[in-house]
Amino acid sequence: MNLQVIDAELMQKAFLAGARSLERKKEWINELNVFPVPDGDTGTNMTMTIMTAAREVAALEKPTMESLSRAISSGSLRGARGNSGVILSQLFRGFTRKIRGAEQVDVTVLAAAFAHAAETAYKAVMKPKEGTILTVAKGMSEKAQELAPQSQDIVEFVTRVIEHGDYVLSQTPEMLPVLKQAGVVDSGGQGLMQVMKGALDGLMGREEDFSLEESPSAGAGAAAGAGSDQLETADIRFGYCTEFIISVEKHYDEETEVEFKAYLDSIGDSIVVVSDDGVVKVHVHTNDPGLAIQRALTYGSLSRMKIDNMREEHQERLFQNAEKLAREQKEAQEQREADAPRKPYGFIAVSVGEGMDEIFRGIGADYLIAGGQTMNPSTEDMVNAISHVNADTVYILPNNKNIILAAEQARYLVEDKRVIVVPSRTVPQGISALINFIPDLTPEENLETMTEEMGRVRTGQVTYAVRNTTIDGMEIHEGDIMGLGDHGLLCVGSSISGTAIDTLKSMVDEESELVSIYYGLEVKPEDAGEVLARARKLCPSCEIELHDGGQPIYYYIISVE
């Protein structure tokens, strides 16, 4: 096949094919995470980023390079989630800037687009690290510049660029020791290669289905089924209508689904479980939503969680009423914000767990974004949050290293307010930063003070391993309990309480003064009390606080100052 030029329609097909290719492989990419924690989100973040753009691209009936470029660039930027998603959006942004003015794209334009894509992505990252998606993008860019003068056949050109990209990807473990130790390549780079390979399939006509219809498990049909008259009029023995979607990250087959349904049946009724391509839509009526959520978390990460008290709402159609209530609350909130005088400053915090939410509200957060390790908010989520804070200067506390870039991107999209991103990498850092805000200081002085104070905070997190591996000489088996610190693995154990204490032990020193322990959704208060008692014996000279954080995934989050 000899292809000399690409028009807008063919470029549209190539992009959609690349998006579908990434979507099909997202769970495999998630599994490439270095740490075996239940947050393998690189594939998910990249997929959610590209699919936001893909929906806009698919809607173009008669695309031009200009309209196509605008849809790819704006869609991926608004949908960007996590570091990998933000970098992918920047690659698209740089690429489309070079093709948008052309009626047709040839090898020369493609080579220039590859170069500008890599350059734009590198500039978006404050401290670029080699051995990542950036390195893979740069390697393909350099190969493109080398090949452009040699051939005008686009298929041959792209094929050879991809081959070189695969080679660079294979070398990432040699650039980042942590990858080599874990025996994996960079997950972001692997995601980029899936996009490239899918796009090549699209160019060659090998990708026939360019539709982007949502699966039955995640679309409106599933929600409508769960809200049918039959479910609505059921006898309300169980008071909470609980819904969520599982992005499957562990083994989940028909037998697993049967066991899961049986478990749900033991704690509730009106059960709907629909599975499709790594996504499971769940609906159950139960008196303890936490039990359903805890079991679901053993299979993967959760999204679109919704819990309604049916004993208060059974007189109306369940979901119609919930939607109406949410709409009214939003309108009322927006009206209150519009009527209230504009404040000099306001705060947005990314939080997860009811307890954490209460803490942030108590220390002054104006708006909370649900998110965290398994659910990174997008750039558009950040922009929407900023619009709800009626203040001249808005501070954003990302509270996760994988969310900082999305917050930075949102800062550039807001024109009517000054937005300051405080680079908090953990929830305890965000809490410390907000507590140390001083109204009399200038925004620059406050950013410096908040950053300095949160730098004094050490954070440990206790969770479970989702696969076997070896890190820092420590052998880890699936199901082990791990203590993770700011810079890597601290300890591995078999019990949650014991590992929490071992994590604390590795964090405290003679200068430690304050220890804060936040226990998660799956920890019983009496077990948390036991950890508190042991912590006081371990650190008799420290002030120790215990809080109900309510966070999923992490049994304990511990901070030491």
Side-chain angles (χ1 to χ4, degrees), residues 411-423:
R411 181 163 63 94
Y412 295 115
L413 297 177
V414 176
E415 298 179 354
D416 63 332
K417 301 170 185 175
R418 181 175 185 183
V419 178
I420 296 176
V421 178
V422 183

Side-chain angles (χ1 to χ4, degrees), residues 395-399 404 420-425 433 447 450-451 454:
Y395 294 83
I396 300 180
L397 301 160
N399 301 331
I404 295 174
I420 296 176
V421 178
V422 183
S424 52
R425 297 165 66 88
L447 176 60
M450 295 165 80
T451 303
M454 73 184 191

Side-chain angles (χ1 to χ4, degrees), residues 395 418 420 441-449:
Y395 294 83
R418 181 175 185 183
I420 296 176
L441 298 182
T442 66
E444 293 81 7
E445 290 170 335
N446 260 312
L447 176 60
E448 182 178 350
T449 299

